Amino acid sequence: QVQLVESGGGSVQAGGSLRLSCAASGYTYSNCMGWFRQAPGKEREGVAAIYTGGGITYYADSVKGRFTISQDNAKNTVYLQMNSLKPEDTAMYYCAATVLSCRLSKDRFGYWGQGTQVTVSS
């Protein structure tokens, strides 16, 4: 069983930055770690994912060039650096893990954190 705990959310003005962290514990093997977000009334959508073994990354088009996913395997932690934030980035952000291959599809991820809120004001 994998436990995931997110941190780093908060409120920021448009153009600002935040860094989210996701600490994994328990049975920490996973093939892929991802970040998803869900705004009120919308579907949960994939934001970024990273292969834990090779570091290959994937991004949603809406965040390419602004967000960066990274990992620190020694700390069992995955990060999401978010720059040039926009009001449309406002959502609950979730960390997720899967033993399957990396795809930005929530159905492939079996382990989820509780989420951390990100609010971007204009």
Side-chain angles (χ1 to χ4, degrees):
Q1 189 78 357
V2 177
Q3 290 83 44
L4 303 172
V5 178
E6 304 97 334
S7 61
S11 296
V12 65
Q13 288 192 327
S17 299
L18 285 172
R19 189 176 82 154
L20 306 183
S21 299
C22 172
S25 61
Y27 178 64
T28 56
Y29 170 76
S30 62
N31 192 45
C32 177
M33 298 287 293
W35 285 97
F36 291 75
R37 66 186 182 186
Q38 187 167 17
K42 294 190 176 181
E43 291 281 325
R44 190 170 297 189
E45 63 175 356
V47 174
I50 184 167
Y51 267 111
T52 57
I56 298 172
T57 57
Y58 300 85
Y59 295 96
D61 288 343
S62 58
V63 306
K64 280 181 183 176
R66 301 189 298 122
F67 291 11
T68 303
I69 188 171
S70 62
Q71 61 185 353
D72 184 335
N73 288 337
K75 296 182 178 179
N76 291 323
T77 299
V78 174
Y79 304 97
L80 185 68
Q81 178 66 44
M82 305 186 295
N83 298 329
S84 302
L85 282 161
K86 304 175 181 180
E88 51 263 44
D89 294 318
T90 295
M92 184 72 78
Y93 282 71
Y94 298 90
C95 176
T98 180
V99 297
L100 304 177
S101 57
C102 267
R103 297 289 187 275
L104 285 177
S105 171
K106 62 183 185 296
D107 295 334
R108 298 180 65 83
F109 288 77
Y111 303 98
W112 293 86
Q114 294 299 305
T116 185
Q117 179 68 38
V118 171
T119 302
V120 184
S121 58
S122 57

